[in-house]
Amino acid sequence: MLLESKITVITGGGRGIGRAIALKFAAEGAAVVVAARTKTEIESVAKEVSDVGGRGLAVAADVADENHCENLIRAATSEFGRVDILVNNAGHYGPVKPVEEISPAEWDRVIAVHLRGAYLLTRLVLPAMYTRGTGAILNISSLSAKSAFAWGSPYASAKAGMLGLTRVVAAEAARKGVRVNALCPGPVTETRMSKDLGHVLAERLGVSEEDQLKGFLNTILQGRGQTADEIAAAALFLCSEHASAITGQSLNVDGGAAFY
Ligand SMILES: NC(=O)c1ccc[n+]([C@@H]2O[C@H](COP(=O)([O-])OP(=O)(O)OC[C@H]3O[C@@H](n4cnc5c(N)ncnc54)[C@H](OP(=O)(O)O)[C@@H]3O)[C@@H](O)[C@H]2O)c1
């Protein structure tokens, strides 16, 4: 098993991509701590893990809140003794509007959840990882960090910021045994975030949701979206010893949409 006895914290682990990562990591022997705001969802994922003989823990947290982040890492450490792998996955798309219509509060909230949340949790897990001389951090960024889609400037900025954070922390951590990478998924059409976004975009464009999605998927080499399980497979690779020489990278899992 690729993550035998690893202790992992996965934010946004209650549904979608985070849930898929939690289940895949657990199937590879990891203990998984899933965090998000909706208690019922994280508890259900923790139960899915324990139902198949794994170790799961649900911790309610808003990753934009410093105290919640501290509580999350404290809970993970007190239950399992340490954190070996952190996956910063929690997030929402935020306002689907041109930049001039986005309020400062809307802007700040998106940055706080994706970028500040990743920073807060990174700074909390790194000292103990350095002491042990081992660890992995994975930031779930997006194709949006590398493309130019209208009506999501805070989201794209936060996701691009996560790539900067990934590189700088990788530079600081590389010789202390800790690897830091990012994933840039394309459209994972099965998730709530993706469906909600498709709905709003279709409305704004005055087309059907089906046509909006079809038009977008047609711009991708493979002509289809990605599954949460495909993103989880890439996450497993980057967090496992198979990726022992990979750090500071962003891996596109987008069916052929971004090429850098
Ligand atoms: N779906 C896509 O096409 C796509 C593409 C590229 C990147 N991504 C990224 O992948 C990640 C997961 O998205 P998804 O598509 O799986 O969406 P999703 O199904 O809506 O899941 C989002 C998860 O994040 C949690 N979350 C949201 N805000 C949070 C907060 N402030 N604090 C803690 N948890 C929070 C949600 O739970 P609560 O609401 O209960 O807190 C939920 O568990 C996001 O970072 C997203 O930007 C998605």
Side-chain angles (χ1 to χ4, degrees), residues 12-18 35-38 41 61-63 89-92 109 113-114 140-142 155 159 185-188 191-194:
R15 58 176 188 263
I17 293 170
R37 294 164 303 173
T38 311
E41 291 185 346
D62 179 339
V63 297
N89 164 79
H92 67 306
R109 177 67 187 164
V113 172
H114 294 270
I140 306 300
S141 177
S142 170
Y155 182 79
K159 291 307 201 185
V188 180
T191 75
R192 186 182 307 171
M193 192 194 86
S194 211

Side-chain angles (χ1 to χ4, degrees), residues 74-194:
R74 200 180 309 118
T77 308
S78 92
E79 181 77 13
F80 296 119
R82 63 185 190 279
V83 176
D84 296 308
I85 295 169
L86 167 68
V87 181
N88 288 310
N89 164 79
H92 67 306
Y93 195 80
V96 188
K97 310 192 263 202
V99 67
E100 69 275 16
E101 290 177 19
I102 292 171
S103 71
E106 287 175 317
W107 177 277
D108 287 348
R109 177 67 187 164
V110 177
I111 303 291
V113 172
H114 294 270
L115 184 55
R116 188 166 179 275
Y119 144 75
L120 287 174
L121 288 164
T122 295
R123 72 186 288 277
L124 288 169
V125 298
L126 271 178
M129 287 181 174
Y130 287 162
T131 302
R132 291 192 306 278
T134 182
I137 297 175
L138 180 65
N139 294 319
I140 306 300
S141 177
S142 170
L143 171 60
S144 293
K146 298 181 172 180
S147 289
F149 304 123
W151 305 331
S153 53
Y155 182 79
S157 302
K159 291 307 201 185
M162 288 175 88
L163 299 185
L165 178 71
T166 299
R167 288 189 290 266
V168 173
V169 182
E172 294 168 0
R175 299 191 186 199
K176 297 178 184 173
V178 179
R179 297 182 302 105
V180 188
N181 289 295
L183 272 185
C184 293
V188 180
T189 54
E190 74 203 67
T191 75
R192 186 182 307 171
M193 192 194 86
S194 211

Side-chain angles (χ1 to χ4, degrees), residues 138-139 141-143 146 163 166 181-186 230-231 233-235 237-238 246 248-254 258 260:
L138 180 65
N139 294 319
S141 177
S142 170
L143 171 60
K146 298 181 172 180
L163 299 185
T166 299
N181 289 295
L183 272 185
C184 293
E230 287 175 317
I231 307 306
F237 165 66
L238 284 175
I246 300 178
Q249 305 302 312
S250 66
L251 178 61
N252 303 328
V253 188
D254 62 10
Y260 72 98

